Amino acid sequence: MKLEGRKIYKGTAEAEAIVTKDAISFYGGVDPDTGKVVEVGHELEGQSITGKVLVFPTGKGSTVGSYTMYRMKKNNTAPVAIVNKQIDTIVAVGCIISEIPCVDKIDINNIHTGQNVIVNGSEGIVEVK
Amino acid sequence: MKLTQEEQDMLDGKFGKAAMKSMEILTTLGEIFDAEYMVEVHGVQIAGVSYDNLGEAGLDFLSEMAEDGKVRVLTTLNPAGMDRENWQVLGIDEEFAKNQNRAIDAFAKMGIITTCSCTPYLIGNAPHYGQHIAWAESSAVCYSNSVIGARTNREGGPSALAAALTGKTPKYGYHLDENRHGQILFKINAPVKGTDEFGVLGKIIGDKLVKLGKKIPYITGIPSATVEELKSFCASVATYGGTALFHMEEITPEYNKYPKPSKIVFEINQDDLDITRAELTDEDLEIDFVSIGCPHASIHEIAKITSLLKGKTVKKEFWITTARPTKKIADEAGYSKIIEEAGAKFAADTCCVVAPIKERFKGIMVDSAKACYYGRAKNKFKVKIGSIEKCVEEATK
């Protein structure tokens, strides 16, 4: 299944999807050293987003979150690609400075955790295998 | 987005890596928010300076940008996590000081003026009416849009830096006339005076805006306001309401440029001020810390503190947070000597919000509603709001 969205940051990546219906705050909500979601009560609490295609509706929280994403990339704990329903500035800036392929304007109900997903950030296309 | 040749060249890397990364950030934001063009900015204010907020991650990014990045417009910095000269007296540890200086050095390498103040408009980064700028620091954003009538969105650290390194920002949001109209009318039916009371008013309006999902208040019933009162109001309404722009009848420059809102009217009476003032003071309070200068104290405020402190002895930790250039004026005027001899401390370049002082004090007294918010949320203090006079009285009690 091919889903068409909007390109946010270029590049292509293929990996297993991890999907949540909760917004994500990278600053304080994700541990950049372990790659695990640490926000109390979050749907993904305790789960690692490292090396996955991370699918979530939108970002939230402090603008410092962009820097946290950059830190994760340097630590090799970052997701390989990001898919959003509606991008926010924190995640957009985080993807650009960390060079993580990103697409938004995707109906994320069509993607399920564990599916293999190809994200083409250059064309704004997400392919679910 | 439609880019000029120069903007396209930046995006293609012809102006170096930092300019390319910056233009990537700006064009992406422009596309997200449907901007058609870039606009030239006349000045930039950068937030995300305190190592307490930045961390090693932010510092890595800044160091990479500083490899070949140079600012193209006047650019100043938000407060750092410490006074750059006086940090030991203020109890900042050496490791933190070392890391903080690494961050400031990276900014300096890019040609940024390392003023470290949240009131750039008081110390030389002062746009005029109608100019496009790209500022971070929510209180300064609100002041420049509203009180000066300049135009900026609420930038974050990286997007403000990107604007500085390219001299551009995407033209959307508050850069456009159509997004600057007042949305809700607030009628103030009580006298409002002093920085503390303007902060209380900012909280009332900010809280209401959040509930209504609105952003731009139009305020009537304030006959006059000083620069200091307006800066306190801006800090508060931006903290509690996320507000980047307000209009105040007969006071701010754009108040009669757009139609006065009439559909939604909200009245604020003496009761509302009293209730909200009480909300900004915790119960079971033991005050061991007093801080004035959120946003950074003006020279006028420092003169006032000087006259209040003359001949008295400070009995509690008492900080006056200000911009270093303002501190230098205070030095030359002889104010600093009187203030320091009384036992109060200057904390230039920093403030009680961004310094690494979590849990160091039990209770803080301030004249700022913004400082109450961060005192509680970030530093886990109990808080009390009061006028500058009451703050000095508490510190010398």
PDB file of all heavy atoms in Angstrom, chain B residues 219-254:
ATOM      1  N   ILE B 219      -6.749  45.107  24.522  1.00  0.00           N
ATOM      2  CA  ILE B 219      -6.990  45.481  25.912  1.00  0.00           C
ATOM      3  C   ILE B 219      -7.376  46.955  26.013  1.00  0.00           C
ATOM      4  O   ILE B 219      -6.687  47.812  25.444  1.00  0.00           O
ATOM      5  CB  ILE B 219      -5.722  45.183  26.753  1.00  0.00           C
ATOM      6  CG1 ILE B 219      -5.387  43.683  26.646  1.00  0.00           C
ATOM      7  CG2 ILE B 219      -5.904  45.592  28.210  1.00  0.00           C
ATOM      8  CD1 ILE B 219      -3.928  43.369  26.802  1.00  0.00           C
ATOM      9  N   THR B 220      -8.455  47.227  26.734  1.00  0.00           N
ATOM     10  CA  THR B 220      -8.838  48.620  26.963  1.00  0.00           C
ATOM     11  C   THR B 220      -8.906  48.875  28.473  1.00  0.00           C
ATOM     12  O   THR B 220      -8.994  47.938  29.271  1.00  0.00           O
ATOM     13  CB  THR B 220     -10.226  48.954  26.374  1.00  0.00           C
ATOM     14  OG1 THR B 220     -11.204  48.211  27.111  1.00  0.00           O
ATOM     15  CG2 THR B 220     -10.325  48.595  24.917  1.00  0.00           C
ATOM     16  N   GLY B 221      -8.853  50.141  28.854  1.00  0.00           N
ATOM     17  CA  GLY B 221      -9.013  50.495  30.260  1.00  0.00           C
ATOM     18  C   GLY B 221      -7.701  50.650  31.012  1.00  0.00           C
ATOM     19  O   GLY B 221      -7.695  50.761  32.233  1.00  0.00           O
ATOM     20  N   ILE B 222      -6.590  50.637  30.281  1.00  0.00           N
ATOM     21  CA  ILE B 222      -5.288  50.911  30.908  1.00  0.00           C
ATOM     22  C   ILE B 222      -4.885  52.318  30.478  1.00  0.00           C
ATOM     23  O   ILE B 222      -4.535  52.537  29.320  1.00  0.00           O
ATOM     24  CB  ILE B 222      -4.212  49.900  30.442  1.00  0.00           C
ATOM     25  CG1 ILE B 222      -4.626  48.467  30.763  1.00  0.00           C
ATOM     26  CG2 ILE B 222      -2.848  50.245  31.047  1.00  0.00           C
ATOM     27  CD1 ILE B 222      -4.493  48.060  32.196  1.00  0.00           C
ATOM     28  N   PRO B 223      -4.944  53.308  31.390  1.00  0.00           N
ATOM     29  CA  PRO B 223      -4.665  54.684  30.969  1.00  0.00           C
ATOM     30  C   PRO B 223      -3.199  54.949  30.673  1.00  0.00           C
ATOM     31  O   PRO B 223      -2.873  55.754  29.803  1.00  0.00           O
ATOM     32  CB  PRO B 223      -5.135  55.523  32.170  1.00  0.00           C
ATOM     33  CG  PRO B 223      -5.263  54.577  33.316  1.00  0.00           C
ATOM     34  CD  PRO B 223      -5.397  53.196  32.774  1.00  0.00           C
ATOM     35  N   SER B 224      -2.299  54.269  31.367  1.00  0.00           N
ATOM     36  CA  SER B 224      -0.881  54.457  31.075  1.00  0.00           C
ATOM     37  C   SER B 224      -0.103  53.239  31.564  1.00  0.00           C
ATOM     38  O   SER B 224      -0.573  52.495  32.433  1.00  0.00           O
ATOM     39  CB  SER B 224      -0.341  55.709  31.774  1.00  0.00           C
ATOM     40  OG  SER B 224      -0.336  55.500  33.175  1.00  0.00           O
ATOM     41  N   ALA B 225       1.077  53.057  30.976  1.00  0.00           N
ATOM     42  CA  ALA B 225       1.924  51.925  31.387  1.00  0.00           C
ATOM     43  C   ALA B 225       3.369  52.282  31.108  1.00  0.00           C
ATOM     44  O   ALA B 225       3.681  52.871  30.067  1.00  0.00           O
ATOM     45  CB  ALA B 225       1.534  50.668  30.618  1.00  0.00           C
ATOM     46  N   THR B 226       4.262  51.939  32.034  1.00  0.00           N
ATOM     47  CA  THR B 226       5.687  52.198  31.825  1.00  0.00           C
ATOM     48  C   THR B 226       6.304  51.050  31.029  1.00  0.00           C
ATOM     49  O   THR B 226       5.704  49.973  30.889  1.00  0.00           O
ATOM     50  CB  THR B 226       6.431  52.288  33.171  1.00  0.00           C
ATOM     51  OG1 THR B 226       6.368  50.998  33.810  1.00  0.00           O
ATOM     52  CG2 THR B 226       5.816  53.336  34.091  1.00  0.00           C
ATOM     53  N   VAL B 227       7.509  51.282  30.528  1.00  0.00           N
ATOM     54  CA  VAL B 227       8.258  50.229  29.829  1.00  0.00           C
ATOM     55  C   VAL B 227       8.390  49.003  30.724  1.00  0.00           C
ATOM     56  O   VAL B 227       8.214  47.862  30.286  1.00  0.00           O
ATOM     57  CB  VAL B 227       9.656  50.761  29.418  1.00  0.00           C
ATOM     58  CG1 VAL B 227      10.612  49.623  29.078  1.00  0.00           C
ATOM     59  CG2 VAL B 227       9.531  51.715  28.244  1.00  0.00           C
ATOM     60  N   GLU B 228       8.676  49.241  32.002  1.00  0.00           N
ATOM     61  CA  GLU B 228       8.887  48.128  32.935  1.00  0.00           C
ATOM     62  C   GLU B 228       7.591  47.354  33.170  1.00  0.00           C
ATOM     63  O   GLU B 228       7.596  46.121  33.270  1.00  0.00           O
ATOM     64  CB  GLU B 228       9.438  48.647  34.273  1.00  0.00           C
ATOM     65  CG  GLU B 228      10.883  49.142  34.204  1.00  0.00           C
ATOM     66  CD  GLU B 228      11.043  50.521  33.561  1.00  0.00           C
ATOM     67  OE1 GLU B 228      10.018  51.230  33.353  1.00  0.00           O
ATOM     68  OE2 GLU B 228      12.189  50.905  33.250  1.00  0.00           O
ATOM     69  N   GLU B 229       6.489  48.073  33.280  1.00  0.00           N
ATOM     70  CA  GLU B 229       5.200  47.404  33.449  1.00  0.00           C
ATOM     71  C   GLU B 229       4.850  46.586  32.206  1.00  0.00           C
ATOM     72  O   GLU B 229       4.361  45.449  32.304  1.00  0.00           O
ATOM     73  CB  GLU B 229       4.108  48.438  33.747  1.00  0.00           C
ATOM     74  CG  GLU B 229       4.225  49.015  35.163  1.00  0.00           C
ATOM     75  CD  GLU B 229       3.363  50.255  35.395  1.00  0.00           C
ATOM     76  OE1 GLU B 229       3.013  50.969  34.417  1.00  0.00           O
ATOM     77  OE2 GLU B 229       3.053  50.538  36.563  1.00  0.00           O
ATOM     78  N   LEU B 230       5.136  47.143  31.038  1.00  0.00           N
ATOM     79  CA  LEU B 230       4.825  46.421  29.802  1.00  0.00           C
ATOM     80  C   LEU B 230       5.715  45.191  29.644  1.00  0.00           C
ATOM     81  O   LEU B 230       5.260  44.145  29.194  1.00  0.00           O
ATOM     82  CB  LEU B 230       4.956  47.359  28.593  1.00  0.00           C
ATOM     83  CG  LEU B 230       3.849  48.412  28.493  1.00  0.00           C
ATOM     84  CD1 LEU B 230       4.191  49.462  27.444  1.00  0.00           C
ATOM     85  CD2 LEU B 230       2.501  47.768  28.168  1.00  0.00           C
ATOM     86  N   LYS B 231       6.972  45.301  30.013  1.00  0.00           N
ATOM     87  CA  LYS B 231       7.837  44.113  29.866  1.00  0.00           C
ATOM     88  C   LYS B 231       7.394  43.002  30.823  1.00  0.00           C
ATOM     89  O   LYS B 231       7.420  41.827  30.466  1.00  0.00           O
ATOM     90  CB  LYS B 231       9.327  44.462  29.945  1.00  0.00           C
ATOM     91  CG  LYS B 231       9.980  44.543  31.311  1.00  0.00           C
ATOM     92  CD  LYS B 231      11.496  44.771  31.148  1.00  0.00           C
ATOM     93  CE  LYS B 231      12.131  45.428  32.358  1.00  0.00           C
ATOM     94  NZ  LYS B 231      12.139  44.623  33.579  1.00  0.00           N
ATOM     95  N   SER B 232       6.933  43.372  32.002  1.00  0.00           N
ATOM     96  CA  SER B 232       6.417  42.371  32.939  1.00  0.00           C
ATOM     97  C   SER B 232       5.129  41.739  32.397  1.00  0.00           C
ATOM     98  O   SER B 232       4.939  40.518  32.451  1.00  0.00           O
ATOM     99  CB  SER B 232       6.150  43.019  34.295  1.00  0.00           C
ATOM    100  OG  SER B 232       5.629  42.072  35.197  1.00  0.00           O
ATOM    101  N   PHE B 233       4.261  42.573  31.847  1.00  0.00           N
ATOM    102  CA  PHE B 233       3.013  42.073  31.260  1.00  0.00           C
ATOM    103  C   PHE B 233       3.315  41.105  30.111  1.00  0.00           C
ATOM    104  O   PHE B 233       2.719  40.024  30.021  1.00  0.00           O
ATOM    105  CB  PHE B 233       2.166  43.249  30.757  1.00  0.00           C
ATOM    106  CG  PHE B 233       0.900  42.807  30.087  1.00  0.00           C
ATOM    107  CD1 PHE B 233      -0.193  42.402  30.836  1.00  0.00           C
ATOM    108  CD2 PHE B 233       0.803  42.767  28.712  1.00  0.00           C
ATOM    109  CE1 PHE B 233      -1.364  41.963  30.220  1.00  0.00           C
ATOM    110  CE2 PHE B 233      -0.354  42.330  28.080  1.00  0.00           C
ATOM    111  CZ  PHE B 233      -1.446  41.935  28.840  1.00  0.00           C
ATOM    112  N   CYS B 234       4.240  41.494  29.238  1.00  0.00           N
ATOM    113  CA  CYS B 234       4.604  40.647  28.082  1.00  0.00           C
ATOM    114  C   CYS B 234       5.095  39.280  28.551  1.00  0.00           C
ATOM    115  O   CYS B 234       4.692  38.245  28.013  1.00  0.00           O
ATOM    116  CB  CYS B 234       5.712  41.307  27.262  1.00  0.00           C
ATOM    117  SG  CYS B 234       5.146  42.694  26.282  1.00  0.00           S
ATOM    118  N   ALA B 235       5.976  39.283  29.548  1.00  0.00           N
ATOM    119  CA  ALA B 235       6.531  38.015  30.038  1.00  0.00           C
ATOM    120  C   ALA B 235       5.418  37.124  30.561  1.00  0.00           C
ATOM    121  O   ALA B 235       5.393  35.917  30.317  1.00  0.00           O
ATOM    122  CB  ALA B 235       7.563  38.287  31.123  1.00  0.00           C
ATOM    123  N   SER B 236       4.473  37.724  31.275  1.00  0.00           N
ATOM    124  CA  SER B 236       3.410  36.943  31.890  1.00  0.00           C
ATOM    125  C   SER B 236       2.418  36.419  30.855  1.00  0.00           C
ATOM    126  O   SER B 236       2.081  35.228  30.840  1.00  0.00           O
ATOM    127  CB  SER B 236       2.699  37.808  32.927  1.00  0.00           C
ATOM    128  OG  SER B 236       1.651  37.088  33.520  1.00  0.00           O
ATOM    129  N   VAL B 237       1.945  37.279  29.981  1.00  0.00           N
ATOM    130  CA  VAL B 237       0.920  36.849  29.014  1.00  0.00           C
ATOM    131  C   VAL B 237       1.514  35.838  28.026  1.00  0.00           C
ATOM    132  O   VAL B 237       0.823  34.937  27.548  1.00  0.00           O
ATOM    133  CB  VAL B 237       0.271  38.079  28.320  1.00  0.00           C
ATOM    134  CG1 VAL B 237       1.145  38.669  27.226  1.00  0.00           C
ATOM    135  CG2 VAL B 237      -1.112  37.739  27.785  1.00  0.00           C
ATOM    136  N   ALA B 238       2.821  35.945  27.764  1.00  0.00           N
ATOM    137  CA  ALA B 238       3.483  34.965  26.891  1.00  0.00           C
ATOM    138  C   ALA B 238       3.656  33.632  27.611  1.00  0.00           C
ATOM    139  O   ALA B 238       3.502  32.571  27.012  1.00  0.00           O
ATOM    140  CB  ALA B 238       4.836  35.495  26.424  1.00  0.00           C
ATOM    141  N   THR B 239       3.957  33.686  28.903  1.00  0.00           N
ATOM    142  CA  THR B 239       4.146  32.452  29.675  1.00  0.00           C
ATOM    143  C   THR B 239       2.832  31.697  29.848  1.00  0.00           C
ATOM    144  O   THR B 239       2.758  30.492  29.617  1.00  0.00           O
ATOM    145  CB  THR B 239       4.722  32.775  31.070  1.00  0.00           C
ATOM    146  OG1 THR B 239       6.007  33.355  30.895  1.00  0.00           O
ATOM    147  CG2 THR B 239       4.836  31.526  31.938  1.00  0.00           C
ATOM    148  N   TYR B 240       1.794  32.410  30.246  1.00  0.00           N
ATOM    149  CA  TYR B 240       0.523  31.735  30.566  1.00  0.00           C
ATOM    150  C   TYR B 240      -0.362  31.541  29.339  1.00  0.00           C
ATOM    151  O   TYR B 240      -1.177  30.625  29.312  1.00  0.00           O
ATOM    152  CB  TYR B 240      -0.221  32.498  31.664  1.00  0.00           C
ATOM    153  CG  TYR B 240       0.505  32.453  32.990  1.00  0.00           C
ATOM    154  CD1 TYR B 240       1.340  33.498  33.388  1.00  0.00           C
ATOM    155  CD2 TYR B 240       0.405  31.346  33.835  1.00  0.00           C
ATOM    156  CE1 TYR B 240       2.044  33.453  34.587  1.00  0.00           C
ATOM    157  CE2 TYR B 240       1.097  31.282  35.030  1.00  0.00           C
ATOM    158  CZ  TYR B 240       1.910  32.338  35.406  1.00  0.00           C
ATOM    159  OH  TYR B 240       2.614  32.271  36.587  1.00  0.00           O
ATOM    160  N   GLY B 241      -0.230  32.421  28.342  1.00  0.00           N
ATOM    161  CA  GLY B 241      -1.128  32.346  27.195  1.00  0.00           C
ATOM    162  C   GLY B 241      -0.474  32.011  25.867  1.00  0.00           C
ATOM    163  O   GLY B 241      -1.156  31.869  24.864  1.00  0.00           O
ATOM    164  N   GLY B 242       0.860  31.892  25.860  1.00  0.00           N
ATOM    165  CA  GLY B 242       1.553  31.669  24.586  1.00  0.00           C
ATOM    166  C   GLY B 242       1.392  32.843  23.632  1.00  0.00           C
ATOM    167  O   GLY B 242       1.542  32.706  22.421  1.00  0.00           O
ATOM    168  N   THR B 243       1.111  34.018  24.202  1.00  0.00           N
ATOM    169  CA  THR B 243       0.786  35.183  23.379  1.00  0.00           C
ATOM    170  C   THR B 243       2.037  35.833  22.789  1.00  0.00           C
ATOM    171  O   THR B 243       2.993  36.095  23.507  1.00  0.00           O
ATOM    172  CB  THR B 243       0.036  36.206  24.254  1.00  0.00           C
ATOM    173  OG1 THR B 243      -1.151  35.587  24.710  1.00  0.00           O
ATOM    174  CG2 THR B 243      -0.305  37.466  23.481  1.00  0.00           C
ATOM    175  N   ALA B 244       1.980  36.106  21.494  1.00  0.00           N
ATOM    176  CA  ALA B 244       3.107  36.763  20.823  1.00  0.00           C
ATOM    177  C   ALA B 244       2.770  38.203  20.466  1.00  0.00           C
ATOM    178  O   ALA B 244       3.661  38.961  20.061  1.00  0.00           O
ATOM    179  CB  ALA B 244       3.478  36.002  19.561  1.00  0.00           C
ATOM    180  N   LEU B 245       1.505  38.583  20.604  1.00  0.00           N
ATOM    181  CA  LEU B 245       1.089  39.928  20.185  1.00  0.00           C
ATOM    182  C   LEU B 245      -0.188  40.321  20.910  1.00  0.00           C
ATOM    183  O   LEU B 245      -1.119  39.518  21.015  1.00  0.00           O
ATOM    184  CB  LEU B 245       0.826  39.933  18.664  1.00  0.00           C
ATOM    185  CG  LEU B 245       0.139  41.161  18.055  1.00  0.00           C
ATOM    186  CD1 LEU B 245       1.019  42.403  18.184  1.00  0.00           C
ATOM    187  CD2 LEU B 245      -0.188  40.917  16.580  1.00  0.00           C
ATOM    188  N   PHE B 246      -0.211  41.565  21.427  1.00  0.00           N
ATOM    189  CA  PHE B 246      -1.443  42.117  21.971  1.00  0.00           C
ATOM    190  C   PHE B 246      -1.545  43.566  21.529  1.00  0.00           C
ATOM    191  O   PHE B 246      -0.551  44.186  21.122  1.00  0.00           O
ATOM    192  CB  PHE B 246      -1.487  42.020  23.505  1.00  0.00           C
ATOM    193  CG  PHE B 246      -0.452  42.867  24.202  1.00  0.00           C
ATOM    194  CD1 PHE B 246      -0.700  44.203  24.514  1.00  0.00           C
ATOM    195  CD2 PHE B 246       0.778  42.338  24.535  1.00  0.00           C
ATOM    196  CE1 PHE B 246       0.266  44.988  25.145  1.00  0.00           C
ATOM    197  CE2 PHE B 246       1.748  43.111  25.164  1.00  0.00           C
ATOM    198  CZ  PHE B 246       1.495  44.440  25.465  1.00  0.00           C
ATOM    199  N   HIS B 247      -2.742  44.091  21.591  1.00  0.00           N
ATOM    200  CA  HIS B 247      -2.930  45.520  21.347  1.00  0.00           C
ATOM    201  C   HIS B 247      -3.506  46.128  22.609  1.00  0.00           C
ATOM    202  O   HIS B 247      -4.363  45.535  23.265  1.00  0.00           O
ATOM    203  CB  HIS B 247      -3.879  45.743  20.167  1.00  0.00           C
ATOM    204  CG  HIS B 247      -3.395  45.102  18.897  1.00  0.00           C
ATOM    205  ND1 HIS B 247      -2.241  45.500  18.266  1.00  0.00           N
ATOM    206  CD2 HIS B 247      -3.895  44.070  18.165  1.00  0.00           C
ATOM    207  CE1 HIS B 247      -2.046  44.745  17.184  1.00  0.00           C
ATOM    208  NE2 HIS B 247      -3.039  43.871  17.104  1.00  0.00           N
ATOM    209  N   MET B 248      -3.026  47.336  22.971  1.00  0.00           N
ATOM    210  CA  MET B 248      -3.518  48.023  24.158  1.00  0.00           C
ATOM    211  C   MET B 248      -3.909  49.436  23.727  1.00  0.00           C
ATOM    212  O   MET B 248      -3.078  50.180  23.201  1.00  0.00           O
ATOM    213  CB  MET B 248      -2.423  48.040  25.233  1.00  0.00           C
ATOM    214  CG  MET B 248      -2.913  48.256  26.644  1.00  0.00           C
ATOM    215  SD  MET B 248      -1.533  48.165  27.836  1.00  0.00           S
ATOM    216  CE  MET B 248      -1.583  46.467  28.355  1.00  0.00           C
ATOM    217  N   GLU B 249      -5.169  49.761  23.951  1.00  0.00           N
ATOM    218  CA  GLU B 249      -5.727  51.010  23.435  1.00  0.00           C
ATOM    219  C   GLU B 249      -4.937  52.230  23.908  1.00  0.00           C
ATOM    220  O   GLU B 249      -4.667  52.365  25.102  1.00  0.00           O
ATOM    221  CB  GLU B 249      -7.187  51.138  23.884  1.00  0.00           C
ATOM    222  CG  GLU B 249      -7.976  52.111  23.029  1.00  0.00           C
ATOM    223  CD  GLU B 249      -9.473  51.939  23.259  1.00  0.00           C
ATOM    224  OE1 GLU B 249      -9.912  51.953  24.426  1.00  0.00           O
ATOM    225  OE2 GLU B 249     -10.190  51.775  22.261  1.00  0.00           O
ATOM    226  N   GLU B 250      -4.582  53.092  22.971  1.00  0.00           N
ATOM    227  CA  GLU B 250      -3.851  54.338  23.229  1.00  0.00           C
ATOM    228  C   GLU B 250      -2.421  54.104  23.722  1.00  0.00           C
ATOM    229  O   GLU B 250      -1.728  55.050  24.086  1.00  0.00           O
ATOM    230  CB  GLU B 250      -4.578  55.218  24.266  1.00  0.00           C
ATOM    231  CG  GLU B 250      -6.012  55.593  23.900  1.00  0.00           C
ATOM    232  CD  GLU B 250      -6.100  56.801  22.970  1.00  0.00           C
ATOM    233  OE1 GLU B 250      -5.047  57.414  22.690  1.00  0.00           O
ATOM    234  OE2 GLU B 250      -7.218  57.108  22.507  1.00  0.00           O
ATOM    235  N   ILE B 251      -1.983  52.850  23.781  1.00  0.00           N
ATOM    236  CA  ILE B 251      -0.637  52.587  24.309  1.00  0.00           C
ATOM    237  C   ILE B 251       0.263  51.911  23.285  1.00  0.00           C
ATOM    238  O   ILE B 251       1.384  52.354  23.056  1.00  0.00           O
ATOM    239  CB  ILE B 251      -0.724  51.769  25.618  1.00  0.00           C
ATOM    240  CG1 ILE B 251      -1.264  52.688  26.721  1.00  0.00           C
ATOM    241  CG2 ILE B 251       0.639  51.200  26.026  1.00  0.00           C
ATOM    242  CD1 ILE B 251      -1.469  52.070  28.051  1.00  0.00           C
ATOM    243  N   THR B 252      -0.210  50.836  22.646  1.00  0.00           N
ATOM    244  CA  THR B 252       0.655  50.151  21.664  1.00  0.00           C
ATOM    245  C   THR B 252       0.392  50.719  20.261  1.00  0.00           C
ATOM    246  O   THR B 252      -0.708  51.195  19.978  1.00  0.00           O
ATOM    247  CB  THR B 252       0.426  48.624  21.689  1.00  0.00           C
ATOM    248  OG1 THR B 252      -0.937  48.358  21.362  1.00  0.00           O
ATOM    249  CG2 THR B 252       0.764  48.055  23.054  1.00  0.00           C
ATOM    250  N   PRO B 253       1.406  50.673  19.388  1.00  0.00           N
ATOM    251  CA  PRO B 253       1.319  51.441  18.136  1.00  0.00           C
ATOM    252  C   PRO B 253       0.293  50.954  17.117  1.00  0.00           C
ATOM    253  O   PRO B 253      -0.141  51.734  16.282  1.00  0.00           O
ATOM    254  CB  PRO B 253       2.742  51.356  17.571  1.00  0.00           C
ATOM    255  CG  PRO B 253       3.341  50.154  18.202  1.00  0.00           C
ATOM    256  CD  PRO B 253       2.722  50.041  19.549  1.00  0.00           C
ATOM    257  N   GLU B 254      -0.103  49.689  17.182  1.00  0.00           N
ATOM    258  CA  GLU B 254      -1.038  49.187  16.169  1.00  0.00           C
ATOM    259  C   GLU B 254      -2.472  49.099  16.679  1.00  0.00           C
ATOM    260  O   GLU B 254      -3.307  48.462  16.043  1.00  0.00           O
ATOM    261  CB  GLU B 254      -0.588  47.803  15.672  1.00  0.00           C
ATOM    262  CG  GLU B 254       0.629  47.861  14.772  1.00  0.00           C
ATOM    263  CD  GLU B 254       1.067  46.479  14.322  1.00  0.00           C
ATOM    264  OE1 GLU B 254       1.590  45.724  15.159  1.00  0.00           O
ATOM    265  OE2 GLU B 254       0.880  46.143  13.146  1.00  0.00           O
TER     266      GLU B 254
END
